[in-house]
Amino acid sequence: MNKKQLLLQTAAQMIREDGISQLSLERLATKAGITKAGVLYHFNNKANLLRQMNEFAIETFEKRITAHLSDGPYSFTRAYALATLDDVDHGDMDLVAVFISSQEDATSESIWSDVSTGWDERFAVDGPDQDAILKLRLLCDGFWFAVLYGYSESFKDRAATLIREACDELIQGGL
């Protein structure tokens, strides 16, 4: 991981732990163990940092979706679900905090709104049973929030199993 990615991850962790209002370039520098000038080299202000954090979170998730795309029914929906599980498996829940906090920043909210619209379009053409797609999507979105807010390991394991089972049911034709 390069220095910029480390700063993005550290800033995401700070948002998850303390909230977006507590994020500053100076605090990020202290937490990352570098000078403020080192942070400014990568991000000229907090707004730029937030924009890049959101873009990094989206890029990471989109790569995971792409990695899971496969032949068969409901390819995008299943890839979205498996990418959701990847976020937890890779310990990237700090990136989910970036999404959640985006509601507090107009530019971030706009970035996520555009991405969400794109996902909505992909879900809409992914298969004939739109209710089954919505059920799996809501299960995934709820899973993100539950994991982020510290639900027990047994809950996470059971929820992950339900997501995998729902993916299998989509392949078999019913949810």
Side-chain angles (χ1 to χ4, degrees):
M1 180 179 306
N2 65 35
K3 181 63 82 173
K4 183 175 181 178
Q5 289 172 328
L6 176 65
L7 290 169
L8 290 169
Q9 290 284 82
T10 302
Q13 177 186 7
M14 291 172 65
I15 287 174
R16 183 178 53 81
E17 292 172 356
D18 304 323
I20 196 170
S21 64
Q22 297 300 308
L23 179 65
S24 70
L25 298 183
E26 189 169 316
R27 285 191 72 224
L28 176 58
T30 301
K31 181 100 174 176
I34 66 172
T35 65
K36 186 174 178 183
V39 172
L40 286 169
Y41 174 79
H42 296 286
F43 315 104
N44 58 350
N45 57 40
K46 182 177 175 178
N48 179 264
L49 169 64
L50 290 172
R51 181 185 55 76
Q52 290 191 50
M53 287 174 61
N54 282 284
E55 290 169 351
F56 179 69
I58 292 164
E59 178 183 321
T60 299
F61 191 67
E62 286 285 351
K63 284 180 182 177
R64 291 185 178 149
I65 290 172
T66 300
H68 286 290
L69 287 173
S70 62
D71 292 333
Y74 302 95
S75 179
F76 178 75
T77 304
R78 290 183 291 112
Y80 179 93
L82 296 172
T84 297
L85 296 177
D86 282 351
D87 275 355
V88 175
D89 291 343
H90 289 97
D92 286 342
M93 292 316 294
D94 292 335
L95 296 178
V96 177
V98 172
F99 162 70
I100 292 170
S101 67
S102 69
Q103 303 307 308
E104 298 178 40
D105 175 68
T107 301
S108 299
E109 184 179 9
S110 175
I111 290 168
W112 281 97
S113 178
D114 291 345
V115 169
S116 181
T117 298
W119 288 341
D120 287 345
E121 292 167 0
R122 292 167 79 180
F123 283 118
V125 298
D126 200 38
D129 189 344
Q130 289 296 301
D131 288 342
I133 290 171
L134 181 60
K135 286 177 188 177
L136 183 52
R137 188 175 181 187
L138 290 171
L139 183 60
C140 291
D141 294 351
F143 183 65
W144 278 348
F145 284 95
V147 171
L148 183 65
Y149 290 113
Y151 282 44
S152 70
E153 286 301 316
S154 63
F155 173 88
K156 292 178 210 175
D157 292 344
R158 182 65 187 131
T161 298
L162 290 173
I163 289 171
R164 287 185 184 92
E165 288 172 356
C167 286
D168 292 343
E169 289 174 11
L170 278 178
I171 292 171
Q172 297 168 4
L175 182 67

